[in-house]
Amino acid sequence: MELAEHFLPFRKNTVIALCAAELPDAERGPFTEFAGLLAALVHHEFHRRGEAALDAYQVMDPSEDERVLRPATPAERVAARATVERELVALAEAADYTRISAAEMRRAFTEHALVKVRLEVDESEFETALFFRRGVSQRTERVPSWFGLRRRDLEFTSYAKVLVYIAFGDSAQRSNGGVLLKLFQNVPKNDLEMLYPTVRVRMRPLDKLLIGVPAAVSGIVVVATKLIASLGPVVLLLAFWVGLRDDPVRLDQAALITLGAGLAAFGGYLVRQFSKFKNRKLKLMKTLSEHLYFRNLDNDHGVLHHLLGAAEESEVKEAVLAYHFLRTAEAPLTGAELDARVEEWFREQWATGFDFRIRDGLRRLRELELLTTDERGGLGVLPLPAARARLDRRWDNAFRSAPIDA
């Protein structure tokens, strides 16, 4: 049973529109303007955070088409990596991603959904491996069975987005500065292991049987019909040489031709079996590559841009919902009551279950000085006109660091 996610599967503008639709006509315009100001302030903050994270990533993984003033020192690279990892975890949490546990990754190696291959990973090649997921759903897909003779419906848990961060050790430094950052979509839960960059394809017991049993049968036939008959004179000659046979053996041209034909048949058998093994392995690698290709959504710097946008959207949605439900409540609410009201509204009105992150919405309102608290700890917010005016002043002052003397 999957726990409810923090992720709310509605866009920011959709959430604003849903809240505005509950208000009287005279309040819808001012509320939408308030939400737009709030979104602009959040965007400005995430822009600053994003620039710092991208600058640090540039130190770790310099872009080939952008010049740098000087190479980074080892100490600068270590500091940049710490900054990137810290911001990556913070942005993933703000964007409502959930950390994938080590136990869940281990289960993926023993359970398979769509990719029917056995995979192995050498974890000694990297120092840090972080996996995050968002958007849990149950899906059904028709897959072949009985060697393609039948098809059956396979139900599995799928993640809409999976974020992967790998930092390699000194012994496995890569051309990208020793880090890998990727974002995938529509990944089956039991196929998470295929996202490791160091994953290697191995033969399953079924694959070994499909190759080994026919190879053994055909090998016995080749040895019995081709090789033994052609090796008969050679065996007798060896017996004569070691003293086990008194009568000499003469190898004529016909015997040599028979021996050559037998050895050629056996050599051809070995080549065919090796080709079957290689082709089977290439087929498994092709299956893995196709699954990764169609699921790869973004890489490197692009992943940070994607996370920044998702985190910004989540922060705006949480703050708008907290403000709307506190403002329209008949009396001040506790944090738990606000949390329950938002979750119940989406569950009953829009058939959507999620775990509302009340602390993030309240933290944002408190930072913007929109939140009020009564003597009993009940929460409320400034009236809409006052809230709009306060955000307007904040936006006007957002780019003023200090007064400039005339």
Side-chain angles (χ1 to χ4, degrees):
M1 181 69 180
E2 296 285 352
L3 296 176
E5 285 195 305
H6 299 300
F7 175 60
L8 175 60
F10 289 96
R11 291 198 69 247
K12 170 188 65 181
N13 290 339
T14 303
V15 170
I16 294 173
L18 293 177
C19 294
E22 290 198 330
L23 301 176
D25 293 343
E27 295 183 2
R28 290 178 183 174
F31 177 81
T32 303
E33 293 175 4
F34 159 83
L37 281 170
L38 190 151
L41 288 167
V42 174
H43 175 75
H44 180 60
E45 176 190 324
F46 273 93
H47 174 74
R48 292 200 308 268
R49 289 181 61 180
E51 287 300 305
L54 290 168
D55 287 343
Y57 196 87
Q58 174 75 358
V59 174
M60 297 172 58
D61 180 16
S63 299
E64 295 182 358
D65 60 341
E66 294 178 349
R67 295 179 57 185
V68 294
L69 298 179
R70 61 175 178 80
T73 65
E76 289 173 336
R77 291 175 61 82
V78 170
R81 174 174 161 180
T83 299
V84 169
E85 292 182 3
R86 182 177 63 253
E87 281 298 314
L88 185 71
V89 173
L91 288 173
E93 182 179 352
D96 296 325
Y97 280 77
T98 301
R99 180 82 172 266
I100 298 176
S101 65
E104 187 172 348
M105 295 301 302
R106 285 194 297 270
R107 284 197 301 271
F109 280 92
T110 57
E111 303 172 359
H112 300 284
L114 299 180
V115 183
K116 301 301 181 182
V117 296
R118 187 169 72 88
L119 303 175
E120 290 183 358
V121 173
D122 184 3
E123 297 185 0
S124 64
E125 294 188 14
F126 46 83
E127 293 181 351
T128 305
L130 303 176
F131 290 80
F132 301 85
R133 47 97 171 165
R134 193 182 81 172
V136 180
S137 63
Q138 297 297 318
R139 297 177 57 191
T140 302
E141 190 164 326
R142 294 190 67 82
V143 297
S145 61
W146 289 96
F147 306 101
L149 299 178
R150 295 179 56 187
R151 300 186 70 85
R152 62 187 179 91
D153 291 334
L154 176 66
E155 295 184 2
F156 59 94
T157 301
S158 179
Y159 297 146
K161 301 283 178 61
V162 176
L163 170 67
V164 179
Y165 171 83
I166 301 290
F168 297 94
D170 293 336
S171 61
Q173 287 293 323
R174 305 299 172 95
S175 60
N176 64 343
V179 297
L180 179 141
L181 187 56
K182 285 184 175 291
L183 187 65
F184 296 92
Q185 62 181 347
N186 301 326
V187 179
K189 174 184 176 181
N190 292 336
D191 289 338
L192 286 169
E193 80 280 12
M194 71 178 178
L195 304 183
Y196 277 99
T198 57
V199 69
R200 295 180 178 87
V201 176
R202 294 290 184 262
M203 290 287 183
R204 296 176 298 167
L206 177 61
D207 298 314
K208 294 178 180 178
L209 286 175
L210 291 175
I211 295 175
V213 172
V217 173
S218 59
I220 292 173
V221 172
V222 169
V223 170
T225 60
K226 302 289 185 180
L227 197 57
I228 291 180
S230 61
L231 289 178
V234 176
V235 173
L236 294 177
L237 180 60
L238 292 175
F240 174 74
W241 282 351
V242 299
L244 298 178
R245 178 184 172 86
D246 296 331
D247 298 332
V249 177
R250 181 170 176 268
L251 294 177
D252 55 14
Q253 184 177 8
L256 292 175
I257 292 175
T258 302
L259 176 61
L263 292 175
F266 186 70
Y269 159 77
L270 293 178
V271 171
R272 287 195 302 272
Q273 299 311 313
F274 182 75
S275 298
K276 288 181 180 179
F277 170 80
K278 296 294 289 184
N279 290 336
R280 183 70 179 177
K281 196 163 186 178
L282 287 173
K283 182 179 179 181
L284 297 178
M285 294 178 66
K286 180 175 178 290
T287 300
L288 176 63
S289 298
E290 288 177 347
H291 277 78
L292 288 176
Y293 177 81
F294 290 107
R295 286 173 168 78
N296 190 21
L297 189 61
D298 220 330
N299 305 288
D300 304 325
H301 296 82
V303 176
L304 288 176
H305 285 288
H306 190 105
L307 272 181
L308 285 164
E312 178 186 323
E313 282 244 335
S314 294
E315 290 262 343
V316 173
K317 289 187 291 187
E318 291 158 1
V320 167
L321 286 170
Y323 179 84
H324 172 71
F325 277 85
L326 286 175
R327 193 179 78 88
T328 56
E330 296 180 356
L333 303 175
T334 64
E337 290 171 340
L338 173 61
D339 185 283
R341 287 197 181 191
V342 175
E343 293 177 1
E344 182 182 7
W345 186 66
F346 275 100
R347 185 170 54 251
E348 294 183 354
Q349 297 293 326
W350 310 106
T352 301
F354 80 113
D355 183 13
F356 183 50
R357 265 189 177 153
I358 181 62
R359 68 178 187 275
D360 291 341
L362 294 178
R363 172 184 54 78
R364 179 63 63 177
L365 295 181
R366 188 175 290 108
E367 290 174 355
L368 295 174
E369 300 179 317
L370 303 178
L371 192 67
T372 63
T373 306
D374 63 15
E375 63 278 2
R376 290 179 295 181
L379 301 175
V381 289
L382 296 181
L384 188 56
R388 285 177 57 205
R390 180 155 295 180
L391 293 186
D392 197 15
R393 286 195 302 272
R394 276 185 168 267
W395 180 250
D396 289 341
N397 295 326
F399 303 95
R400 297 178 183 174
S401 57
I404 300 177
D405 295 333

